[in-house]
Amino acid sequence: MATKPGILTEWPWASLGNFKYLVLAPFVGHSIYSFFMGKEESQRDFAYIFILLYIVMRMVHHQMWISLSRYRSAKGENRILDRSIEFDQVDRETNWDDQIILNGVLFYIGYLKFAETHHLPLWRIDGIMITALIHTGPVEFLYYWLHRALHHHFLYSRYHSHHHSSIVTEPHTAVIHPFAEILTYYTLFFIPLATTIFTGTASIVSIVAYAIYLDFMNLMGHCNFELIPKWTFSIFPPLKYLIYTPSFHSLHHTQFRSNYSLFMPMYDYLYGTVDKSSDTLYEKSLERKAELPDVVHLTHLTTPESIYHLRLGFASLASKPHTSKWYFWLMSPVTLWSFFITWIYGHTFVVERNLFRNLKIQTWAIPKYSIQYFMQWQRDTINNLIEEAIMEADQKGVKVLSLGLLNQEKQVNKNDELYIRRHPKLKVKVVDGSSLAVAVVLNSIPKGTSQVVLRGRFTKVAYSIALALCQGGTQVMIDGEEYKKLKALLNPEVATNMVPSKSYASKIWLVGDGLSADEQLKAPKGTLFIPFSQFPPRKARRDCFYFNTPAMNIPKHLENVDSCENWLPRRVMSAWRIAGILHALEGWNEHECGNKMFDIDKVWKASLRHGFCPLTTPSAIEAKA
């Protein structure tokens, strides 16, 4: 929102929330009905039905740019600004599609009101030339002076300041304006279209090409990486005045009083408002190499729908914990297509970058879904991908690589020992984060708890939790063969705290993968389920409380956090991911994998010392076991 919102700041359908697309429903319904139910085929106008395809095309175009921009800026190659993007910017830009809805409404109304728009030819060269000339002249000229006016303190505080709230631009930033401001821009862009339509020179190609041009240039200019090669200006030097670059417009968002042009910098050169550092920043951004991280967290895709929650996917979904949406079924063809891509594409990709003071952090993802980790014939492929990622990190000088989710599963790689044995001279330290995960679980148990139930599939973390609790005097109730294995590791005095019981009386349950709904139903009302696994249990009770998987709140100085980690809340990071950061910050020069465990108390104190904070246990649960 602008600092002093003016009239027509809010969008007319803002109150509709996610139902705002209903604004288009009458037009879409009418166009489909008219086209397919027309009595005479000769009277059917493809241009009318094409408006819907055009709206969808604009949506896809925007999404392609946001994914590309985030991927390139995470890698660091040709990146322009190093400043961070946070959740407030993502929230501010979630209504990027409002202007597409407005565009659709205006196109539908224009078609219905003006007979000149009916049965347009596919191609007319004169209309294309007229559109290009009018845009270069009146549109660019008028926009330049309008833009300068919007930077006057009166209009800036009421309208344009909303757009400039984003210092580091993303493609979505390009269309984030108050309603009145967008109406003004659309009026300018309508000049070439109206001219060709009312002179009878318009064609489908001239209208669509101009619309694509406007989107392409606008979205490109708000990317945080430079992509126009230097040779384009060497071959044709005047092009410098006819096409701007992302770095040229980026300076407008950092300096504010320069580089006002829409897409063609010639008016800035003509009126002396070009930033003197434009050429320098352009060349510097082009020469910038991909970033070499200090810490890498290696994760993977989870469910097929998780592609939409990736930071490279839908920005608004990535900024919230992973939940399934009813409308995902509409995108099932894309979901299925992405699933097949994972069978073909065989290399990890960069998902995210963060900065912890001077420590550079990246998240890499293996293009495999969780279900594939349980397929015997996929394990060799997954092992090779993990090993290649470790070797790539080692070659790049990465200090620590932490393994997340199923990348550290014993069934896959024998708790990471496989890679260490195969490459004993590895400089990069491989960390599974088990010690911190244990510490987080132990510190999530309400104080004064004397008895806990341990259920689910036992892992290295589960064994360590059970041993620590028994040694601390807390009674642990375990069912099955695991009791014998654990008891053999304890001295007789401590072993008395290990109870081979099927009792479900305790209200504190420590749970792992494999916890069934039937088992949850046996828990007393008000039970607190504390997961020790990387995946949360499926909630089967509404009268109980479910804690997060082992995780901690991150400090403010961990920058560029604009997405959620799987199902965790904002600015909360899994213990396994934090462990890699701590490993590098503390300079610990050893692997944490296989049966290796660090001192739990030492790791916990290190996390607190560096600003990571425990999550708050649900306040309603103060019940003692």
Side-chain angles (χ1 to χ4, degrees):
M1 191 66 69
T3 53
K4 297 178 181 179
I7 59 171
L8 292 179
T9 294
E10 286 283 354
W11 288 77
W13 45 77
S15 60
L16 294 178
N18 292 331
F19 294 99
K20 60 188 178 183
Y21 284 95
L22 292 176
V23 172
L24 288 170
F27 300 105
V28 172
H30 182 261
S31 66
I32 294 174
Y33 178 83
S34 299
F35 184 80
F36 290 103
M37 302 302 291
K39 294 181 179 180
E40 295 184 21
E41 189 173 343
S42 60
Q43 293 180 350
R44 296 178 186 175
D45 189 357
F46 179 75
Y48 191 27
I49 197 72
F50 186 80
I51 295 175
L52 176 60
L53 299 178
Y54 164 71
I55 293 171
V56 174
M57 178 198 69
R58 285 199 70 194
M59 291 282 189
V60 173
H61 192 189
H62 275 253
Q63 185 54 49
M64 288 171 63
W65 273 108
I66 191 68
S67 298
L68 175 63
S69 178
R70 287 189 159 198
Y71 174 69
R72 288 291 298 272
S73 61
K75 286 185 67 178
E77 188 177 11
N78 306 131
R79 190 165 61 228
I80 300 168
L81 282 179
D82 283 328
R83 296 185 189 180
S84 66
I85 296 171
E86 304 295 337
F87 285 110
D88 60 341
Q89 179 171 338
V90 177
D91 291 341
R92 188 171 58 251
E93 297 178 354
T94 51
N95 69 327
W96 62 270
D97 52 349
D98 278 345
Q99 47 85 34
I100 296 181
I101 295 174
L102 176 63
N103 190 188
V105 170
L106 293 176
F107 269 25
Y108 277 121
I109 292 175
Y111 179 87
L112 293 171
K113 189 165 183 64
F114 301 109
E116 293 86 351
T117 61
H118 296 185
H119 300 283
L120 294 173
L122 180 64
W123 169 276
R124 277 195 65 151
I125 189 64
D126 52 356
I128 294 173
M129 292 178 66
I130 290 171
T131 301
L133 289 172
I134 292 178
H135 176 85
T136 304
V139 174
E140 287 280 347
F141 176 79
L142 291 172
Y143 178 90
Y144 173 83
W145 287 106
L146 170 65
H147 197 177
R148 289 192 66 168
L150 286 168
H151 276 262
H152 183 275
H153 68 274
F154 181 84
L155 291 177
Y156 186 81
S157 61
R158 286 162 176 77
Y159 298 103
H160 204 52
S161 58
H162 181 64
H163 178 69
H164 274 276
S165 297
S166 301
I167 305 298
V168 181
T169 59
E170 289 197 298
H172 286 342
T173 310
V175 292
I176 300 304
H177 301 280
F179 178 62
E181 196 173 332
I182 284 286
L183 280 179
T184 309
Y185 295 151
Y186 273 23
T187 301
L188 288 179
F189 301 149
F190 183 65
I191 295 173
L193 300 181
T195 303
T196 56
I197 288 172
F198 295 119
T199 58
T201 57
S203 66
I204 292 176
V205 169
S206 68
I207 293 174
V208 173
Y210 185 53
I212 292 174
Y213 167 78
L214 291 174
D215 264 350
F216 181 89
M217 294 299 293
N218 203 15
L219 297 170
M220 180 199 71
H222 287 82
C223 286
N224 190 29
F225 71 96
E226 190 55 75
L227 75 163
I228 299 181
K230 200 171 181 179
W231 58 261
T232 56
F233 300 113
S234 300
I235 293 174
F236 186 62
L239 196 62
K240 177 180 180 179
Y241 305 103
L242 299 176
I243 180 173
Y244 74 168
T245 64
S247 56
F248 182 92
H249 191 69
S250 178
L251 279 169
H252 175 71
H253 277 260
T254 55
Q255 303 303 320
F256 299 103
R257 298 293 182 180
S258 59
N259 297 8
Y260 292 105
S261 293
L262 177 56
F263 307 139
M264 299 179 176
M266 60 182 179
Y267 291 105
D268 278 303
Y269 283 99
L270 183 62
Y271 294 107
T273 53
V274 174
D275 194 289
K276 294 179 181 179
S277 61
S278 296
D279 291 340
T280 303
L281 181 61
Y282 169 69
E283 293 177 5
K284 182 181 177 182
S285 301
L286 276 180
E287 294 170 359
R288 188 165 191 171
K289 304 297 181 185
E291 192 168 81
L292 298 177
D294 301 304
V295 179
V296 166
H297 181 64
L298 188 64
T299 184
H300 61 80
L301 303 171
T302 51
T303 64
E305 295 173 350
S306 65
I307 59 167
Y308 306 121
H309 287 269
L310 281 177
R311 188 179 180 275
L312 308 182
F314 295 159
S316 59
L317 291 181
S319 68
K320 300 179 182 69
H322 188 163
T323 54
S324 184
K325 305 292 183 181
W326 65 268
Y327 51 79
F328 280 163
W329 70 271
L330 294 171
M331 297 182 284
S332 54
V334 178
T335 308
L336 185 62
W337 173 80
S338 70
F339 191 83
F340 285 115
I341 288 294
T342 64
W343 299 81
I344 301 169
Y345 186 76
H347 194 69
T348 58
F349 56 95
V350 179
V351 175
E352 187 177 3
R353 73 174 180 96
N354 306 108
L355 187 67
F356 192 102
R357 295 194 174 100
N358 294 323
L359 197 71
K360 298 174 183 177
I361 306 162
Q362 283 186 354
T363 299
W364 297 356
I366 287 178
K368 296 292 179 183
Y369 292 98
S370 295
I371 191 172
Q372 292 170 292
Y373 279 73
F374 297 100
M375 298 176 179
Q376 184 69 40
W377 54 279
Q378 280 281 294
R379 288 182 183 172
D380 287 342
T381 302
I382 292 171
N383 267 327
N384 290 336
L385 287 170
I386 297 173
E387 186 171 7
E388 286 173 8
I390 292 173
M391 297 310 297
E392 182 180 349
D394 194 56
Q395 292 169 6
K396 289 183 175 180
V398 175
K399 297 176 183 177
V400 178
L401 183 142
S402 57
L403 296 176
L405 299 179
L406 298 174
N407 287 330
Q408 58 176 248
E409 278 294 299
K410 188 173 183 180
Q411 291 89 335
V412 176
N413 55 49
K414 300 181 180 179
N415 285 94
D416 325 325
E417 286 184 303
L418 176 68
Y419 316 117
I420 307 306
R421 290 200 306 266
R422 193 175 293 173
H423 306 284
K425 295 183 179 180
L426 275 177
K427 293 179 182 178
V428 61
K429 301 307 172 187
V430 181
V431 174
D432 64 15
S434 297
S435 304
L436 183 59
V438 171
V440 169
V441 172
L442 293 176
N443 284 277
S444 298
I445 299 172
K447 291 182 179 180
T449 298
S450 59
Q451 188 182 72
V452 300
V453 172
L454 198 62
R455 290 291 185 270
R457 184 167 62 84
F458 271 62
T459 61
K460 172 184 173 181
V461 171
Y463 281 115
S464 299
I465 290 170
L467 293 174
L469 287 172
C470 289
Q471 289 169 352
T474 302
Q475 198 173 64
V476 181
M477 293 188 290
I478 301 176
D479 181 25
E481 291 295 320
E482 305 298 342
Y483 167 75
K484 296 179 182 178
K485 297 178 184 178
L486 281 168
K487 190 170 184 179
L489 300 174
L490 300 172
N491 61 55
E493 185 179 348
V494 174
T496 58
N497 291 320
M498 188 78 64
V499 181
S501 173
K502 293 185 178 181
S503 171
Y504 299 95
S506 174
K507 286 191 175 182
I508 305 299
W509 282 42
L510 309 183
V511 298
D513 294 328
L515 178 72
S516 66
D518 289 339
E519 285 184 293
Q520 294 182 49
L521 293 174
K522 295 175 183 177
K525 181 180 179 180
T527 293
L528 173 61
F529 292 102
I530 304 176
F532 55 76
S533 58
Q534 302 220 26
F535 291 88
R538 289 192 175 184
K539 298 178 182 179
R541 299 282 296 273
R542 292 190 176 185
D543 57 353
C544 293
F545 301 87
Y546 293 80
F547 204 42
N548 290 296
T549 53
M552 300 181 77
N553 288 305
I554 60 177
K556 291 182 179 179
H557 48 263
L558 204 161
E559 300 176 24
N560 206 50
V561 181
D562 59 6
S563 61
C564 288
E565 185 180 352
N566 298 318
W567 35 83
L568 295 174
R570 291 181 169 186
R571 295 197 68 82
V572 172
M573 191 173 283
S574 70
W576 294 273
R577 190 173 171 187
I578 294 172
I581 299 172
L582 291 179
H583 212 86
L585 290 171
E586 292 291 320
W588 292 329
N589 195 29
E590 54 186 321
H591 301 288
E592 184 193 21
C593 54
N595 294 321
K596 175 72 176 179
M597 289 284 292
F598 289 163
D599 184 283
I600 295 170
D601 189 53
K602 170 186 169 184
V603 172
W604 179 249
K605 288 179 178 177
S607 69
L608 299 179
R609 187 167 60 252
H610 288 288
F612 295 94
C613 301
L615 294 176
T616 304
T617 305
S619 58
I621 289 296
E622 293 299 335
K624 305 297 186 284

